[in-house]
């Protein structure tokens, strides 16, 4: 079964054709990072307008790269929730129109489900159930228990900021470009991770909190520079030297990864039946996290291909394939709505 997956929930316009949830026949991703790195974050209206310009050429290219025509496509899958309202609208309205025009079954897919199913793409081994999924993206930080395909139980979630958001905000304080994840990782390579002691939030059970960690970095920078806490955070970067930036990057990255893996160890001890762990979402591209996660004992660990950790259409098509396998029926293309916020079901 060949599924066209369409993704426009944030700042990537993406389309991909995937066969049987696994084999990627094409994968086209147009990123808006170059536009937003100058601003230090995504501007929703600009993102929506860029999607509008890119969406049809991206879908055309995904069919061309796969050497397929519309006749070869069995279904269309599209991200309809959660994400930026205007961005979701462009992908969803395009998918609805194409489904009606070409008479194809249409499946609306939850974005976090797609990130999780990036682990079934082009893999040698397959994750086995029951499993724990750690979703770490720009908008979410969650641990989920999956007893089988397309069955999700949220067992831990963040009370405030998401982990990716925290990387982005700390990068802004340090004067590193958006998105913060890759730029902090790069800078951290030259830094001393033990230089600054940053606190672990005291959150009960399997939940997270990252806004305190961001503030802790802010206070530590002010203290290091001998500036008062009233000093504007946007000006601190002008006083930091390269070594200080690298040391803060390394100390922050290490603390953030330790927090994630501590909670994951706790989740594992509470769910001894778990056979695999899958990491999902943009932050799962982090090389240090991939290395440190090897220390988790007793389960098989899966990461998506680094190029499939961020937003793409292939993961949408893969998630859709497993929904169809689980008996999910197509939606009415005249009725699908977008939802900027929603929990995975
Ligand atoms: O999954 P994603 O592409 O979009 C959302 O669904 O939010 O995640 C984007 C997030 C950004 O916050 C970005 O800074 C972070 O993923 N990210 C990373 C890395 N690459 C991207 N965080 C840490 N290390 C990385 N290498
Ligand atoms: Zn995402």
């Amino acid at each position: 079964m060949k599924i066209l997956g369409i993704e426009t929930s944030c700042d990537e316009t993406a389309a991909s054709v995937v066969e049987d949830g696994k084999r990627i026949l094409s994968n086209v991703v147009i990123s808006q990072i170059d536009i937003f790195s100058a601003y230090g974050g995504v501007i929703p209206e600009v993102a929506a307008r860029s999607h509008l310009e890119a969406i049809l050429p991206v879908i055309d290219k995904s069919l061309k790269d796969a050497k397929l025509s519309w006749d070869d496509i069995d279904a269309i899958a599209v991200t309809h929730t959660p994400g930026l309202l205007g961005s979701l609208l462009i992908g969803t309205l395009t998918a609805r129109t194409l489904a009606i025009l070409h008479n194809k079954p249409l499946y609306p897919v939850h974005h976090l489900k797609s990130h999780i199913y990036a682990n079934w793409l082009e893999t040698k081994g397959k994750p086995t159930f029951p499993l724990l999924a750690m979703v770490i993206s720009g908008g979410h930080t969650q641990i989920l228990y999956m007893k089988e395909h397309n069955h999700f139980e949220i067992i831990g979630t963040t009370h405030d900021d998401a982990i990716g958001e925290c990387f982005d905000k700390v990068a802004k304080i340090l004067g590193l470009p958006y998105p913060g994840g890759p730029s902090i990782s790069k800078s951290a390579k030259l830094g001393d991770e033990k230089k600054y002691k940053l606190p672990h939030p005291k959150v009960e059970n399997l939940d997270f909190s990252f806004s305190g960690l961001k503030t802790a970095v802010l206070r530590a920078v002010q203290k290091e520079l001998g500036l008062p806490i009233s000093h504007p955070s946007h000006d601190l970067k002008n006083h930091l030297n390269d070594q200080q930036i690298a040391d803060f990057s390394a100390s922050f990255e290490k603390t953030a990864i330790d927090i994630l893996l501590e909670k994951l160890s706790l989740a594992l001890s509470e769910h001894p039946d778990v056979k695999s762990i899958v990491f999902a979402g943009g932050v799962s591209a982090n090389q240090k996290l991939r290395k440190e996660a090897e220390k988790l004992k007793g389960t098989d660990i899966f990461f998506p291909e680094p190029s499939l950790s961020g937003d793409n259409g292939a993961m949408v098509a893969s998630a859709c394939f497993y929904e169809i396998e689980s008996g999910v029926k197509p939606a009415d293309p005249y009725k699908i709505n977008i939802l900027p916020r929603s929990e995975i079901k």
Side-chain angles (χ1 to χ4, degrees):
M1 172 178 268
K2 295 185 187 72
I3 301 178
L4 169 70
I6 299 172
E7 156 63 41
T8 63
S9 67
C10 189
D11 57 350
E12 262 96 24
T13 317
S16 164
V17 182
V18 174
E19 189 167 33
D20 297 337
K22 185 180 167 82
R23 208 159 75 84
I24 299 177
L25 305 181
S26 66
N27 190 27
V28 184
V29 182
I30 301 285
S31 175
Q32 302 171 9
I33 281 175
D34 289 348
I35 304 174
F36 296 123
S37 61
Y39 297 102
V42 177
I43 302 166
E45 288 77 8
V46 178
R49 237 175 293 145
S50 305
H51 284 309
L52 190 55
E53 281 172 21
I55 187 80
L56 289 177
V58 163
I59 291 172
D60 273 350
K61 183 159 169 33
S62 74
L63 289 175
K64 242 181 232 133
D65 286 0
K67 299 190 175 59
L68 297 173
S69 73
W70 279 106
D71 287 345
D72 305 308
I73 299 297
D74 297 300
I76 301 176
V78 65
T79 311
H80 77 122
T81 186
L84 299 173
L85 187 142
S87 294
L88 288 168
L89 258 181
I90 304 299
T92 304
L93 284 176
T94 306
R96 285 172 56 173
T97 310
L98 291 171
I100 294 164
L101 200 65
H102 297 288
N103 198 22
K104 302 290 174 189
L106 176 62
Y107 293 83
V109 178
H110 193 284
H111 186 59
L112 299 192
K113 220 183 256 195
S114 303
H115 272 305
I116 291 171
Y117 275 97
N119 285 282
W120 274 261
L121 287 166
E122 301 286 348
T123 44
K124 284 183 208 88
K126 271 191 187 168
T128 43
F129 296 97
L131 61 80
L132 290 179
M134 172 157 255
V135 177
I136 40 178
S137 71
H140 292 82
T141 312
Q142 293 188 331
I143 305 177
L144 299 108
Y145 178 85
M146 289 178 70
K147 69 172 185 203
E148 60 195 14
H149 274 302
N150 205 34
H151 189 283
F152 307 90
E153 186 192 337
I154 300 168
I155 58 171
T157 194
T158 180
H159 291 187
D160 40 56
D161 291 354
I163 175 79
E165 190 181 356
C166 191
F167 268 89
D168 295 339
K169 287 179 174 172
V170 168
K172 211 168 179 178
I173 295 170
L174 300 178
L176 297 169
Y178 173 87
S183 47
I184 284 189
S185 279
K186 194 171 163 216
S187 157
K189 288 202 173 75
L190 305 168
D192 172 5
E193 64 184 27
K194 296 199 181 78
K195 182 75 195 277
Y196 302 106
K197 282 256 161 310
L198 298 167
H200 286 212
K202 292 194 173 44
V203 189
E204 301 256 312
N205 53 49
L206 298 174
D207 285 349
F208 299 91
S209 165
F210 285 105
S211 71
L213 179 56
K214 171 208 63 193
T215 310
V217 174
L218 177 64
R219 296 286 172 258
V221 172
Q222 288 163 331
K223 189 169 168 218
E224 171 75 14
L225 297 174
L227 293 166
I229 60 171
S230 56
H231 194 91
S233 60
H234 65 81
D235 177 60
L236 295 170
K237 58 180 183 288
N238 300 323
H239 302 266
L240 288 165
N241 64 38
D242 288 348
Q243 192 55 52
Q244 286 169 319
I245 293 170
D247 291 341
F248 273 114
S249 295
S251 304
F252 164 73
E253 186 182 47
K254 165 93 171 92
T255 309
I257 289 169
D258 284 352
I259 292 168
L260 291 178
L261 295 182
E262 273 164 25
K263 288 286 175 172
L264 199 49
S265 298
L266 184 60
L268 266 180
S269 65
E270 290 181 8
H271 295 82
D273 56 335
V274 158
K275 297 206 175 68
S276 325
I277 296 174
V278 302
F279 286 84
V283 182
S284 72
N286 188 281
Q287 289 303 326
K288 188 171 171 64
L289 171 67
R290 286 173 182 242
K291 214 158 172 262
E292 296 283 318
E294 287 169 10
K295 293 181 195 154
L296 291 167
K297 297 258 155 52
T299 42
D300 292 333
I301 293 172
F302 294 83
F303 279 91
E305 282 293 313
S307 63
L308 299 170
S309 284
D311 293 346
N312 63 82
M315 66 187 193
V316 184
S318 180
C320 174
F321 175 80
Y322 286 99
E323 282 196 351
I324 295 171
E325 290 257 292
S326 315
V328 173
K329 299 282 174 246
D332 180 343
Y334 289 94
K335 289 203 177 135
I336 294 174
N337 266 326
I338 55 137
L339 285 168
R341 284 167 178 273
S342 76
E343 294 295 7
I344 192 168
K345 277 199 278 279

